[in-house]
Amino acid sequence: MIFIDTINRITQLPEREDPTNFRRRRSRTDKDSLTLSEAAAHVQQITLSYENASSLTPTDSIIANMLEAVLQQLDDLNIHVEALSQFAPTNDSWQLTLQTPPLSQEQTKPSYVTSVKDLQKDKQLKRIELHLIGQDKTDKLCLLKFIPHHLSPPLRQALLQLPPKQTLHTPYSAHELELLPLHWAFEIDQDGEEEPLASLYDNNNVPTAHYHPQFNGLQIWFERQEDALPLLISDPRFGYIYLGNYEAYSNREHEPGEEGNFSGSLDTNV
């Protein structure tokens, strides 16, 4: 479990930071949303690199633990989600390029070329009523929606069979939990690279996972209305990796500081 010490880190939550000094989170546009810049709306490929990692916050910890709890039911109870920034080198020896997944078509009207099979497939969403229990017994309700793309039959079946109501105990207080949105929409895609972190394989300082992920190419993204934020990937050597604390930039641009740069992190101001 990724756990951030709230006594030391609570001041890093976005609602307590000076907006002029906090560049990776953006202003809230909807009460129950996480925010990315408009530049992400038409991005097809994004790149993560060492210079764009930000410090993990309690919010990152909670999201990583929510995803870990789901993956433990889909794959193996012994899996453990690690944060990429905890072992990726702080130099230019690596970068990670991801293809953004297709966003859900809930706001798009069906066309004449849309088959009945496609319409039925679009409706195969998984909804989970997740209760986050704080250290003071606070019960924070989060409504999770997983939107599948290119999933193997075993993964799709396992996802749809997850219990619709679940509980997750956390080491956080009522104050930290109440800052989280109510609604969460995740794109879950199994069409990614099978070895996304291969550039780190020669780094002897990077420990390998004690398990082998069952679902290669797995990616989980947080969906907004017009864009998506990468949260987690699977790698055969390092396991399931959380990367929600990274900014990303479009591959159409050469440098992160240019116009194609967009926020790759969470904004949970509510």
Side-chain angles (χ1 to χ4, degrees):
M1 173 180 289
I2 299 175
F3 171 58
I4 308 301
D5 184 357
T6 58
I7 297 177
N8 297 325
R9 299 282 190 171
I10 184 62
T11 56
Q12 294 188 11
L13 284 173
E15 71 282 354
R16 290 179 176 263
E17 294 193 3
D18 183 353
T20 61
N21 297 323
F22 192 69
R23 65 182 182 87
R24 77 183 181 98
R25 289 177 170 88
R26 300 295 186 262
S27 299
R28 174 178 60 87
T29 57
D30 180 69
K31 183 175 181 180
D32 292 322
S33 70
L34 304 188
T35 303
L36 301 181
S37 73
E38 293 180 0
H42 304 292
V43 169
Q44 297 301 313
Q45 280 191 334
I46 62 173
T47 298
L48 310 181
S49 59
Y50 76 100
E51 67 264 42
N52 292 330
S54 299
S55 297
L56 291 163
T57 68
T59 300
D60 291 307
S61 174
I62 292 170
I63 294 170
N65 292 332
M66 286 197 301
L67 297 179
E68 181 181 83
V70 171
L71 289 169
Q72 285 176 343
Q73 299 172 72
L74 295 176
D75 192 338
D76 189 333
L77 290 176
N78 294 319
I79 74 163
H80 179 67
V81 172
E82 297 283 357
L84 176 60
S85 57
Q86 292 180 339
F87 61 79
T90 55
N91 57 52
D92 60 0
S93 63
W94 73 277
Q95 66 179 21
L96 175 63
T97 299
L98 299 174
Q99 185 81 23
T100 56
L103 299 182
S104 64
Q105 303 298 313
E106 291 185 353
Q107 298 179 352
T108 304
K109 295 182 180 179
S111 66
Y112 288 108
V113 298
T114 304
S115 68
V116 173
K117 183 177 180 180
D118 290 336
L119 290 174
Q120 292 174 343
K121 185 176 181 180
D122 288 339
K123 295 180 180 178
Q124 289 186 349
L125 310 178
K126 181 61 185 182
R127 291 179 170 85
I128 297 176
E129 180 181 300
L130 179 63
H131 292 264
L132 297 177
I133 308 300
Q135 62 180 1
D136 51 3
K137 308 303 181 183
T138 299
D139 187 344
K140 168 66 179 184
L141 175 62
C142 291
L143 302 177
L144 314 183
K145 177 174 65 175
F146 288 88
I147 305 159
H149 299 287
H150 311 104
L151 301 189
S152 62
L155 177 54
R156 180 179 293 275
Q157 183 178 9
L159 178 67
L160 295 178
Q161 290 179 347
L162 288 178
K165 294 185 178 182
Q166 300 192 27
T167 300
L168 176 63
H169 291 271
T170 77
Y172 295 106
S173 68
H175 173 68
E176 289 136 355
L177 294 180
E178 71 182 5
L179 300 173
L180 299 174
L182 171 63
H183 296 281
W184 303 75
F186 298 104
E187 303 282 344
I188 179 168
D189 190 2
Q190 204 178 355
D191 196 32
E193 296 289 337
E194 293 197 358
E195 296 183 345
L197 300 179
S199 60
L200 298 179
Y201 287 177
D202 294 333
N203 185 354
N204 295 327
N205 296 324
V206 179
T208 59
H210 63 274
Y211 62 91
H212 297 285
Q214 179 181 352
F215 304 114
N216 292 329
L218 181 66
Q219 301 178 358
I220 298 180
W221 300 64
F222 187 91
E223 182 192 274
R224 280 181 19 89
Q225 292 181 355
E226 296 181 340
D227 44 45
L229 162 67
L231 292 180
L232 183 142
I233 59 172
S234 67
D235 183 90
R237 183 171 297 189
F238 301 129
Y240 293 105
I241 302 298
Y242 177 80
L243 39 84
N245 61 313
Y246 276 82
E247 290 187 20
Y249 60 94
S250 166
N251 282 0
R252 295 190 297 250
E253 304 296 335
H254 297 292
E255 296 295 337
E258 297 185 7
E259 184 179 356
N261 188 26
F262 69 92
S263 171
S265 286
L266 304 164
D267 181 355
T268 55
N269 285 322
V270 294

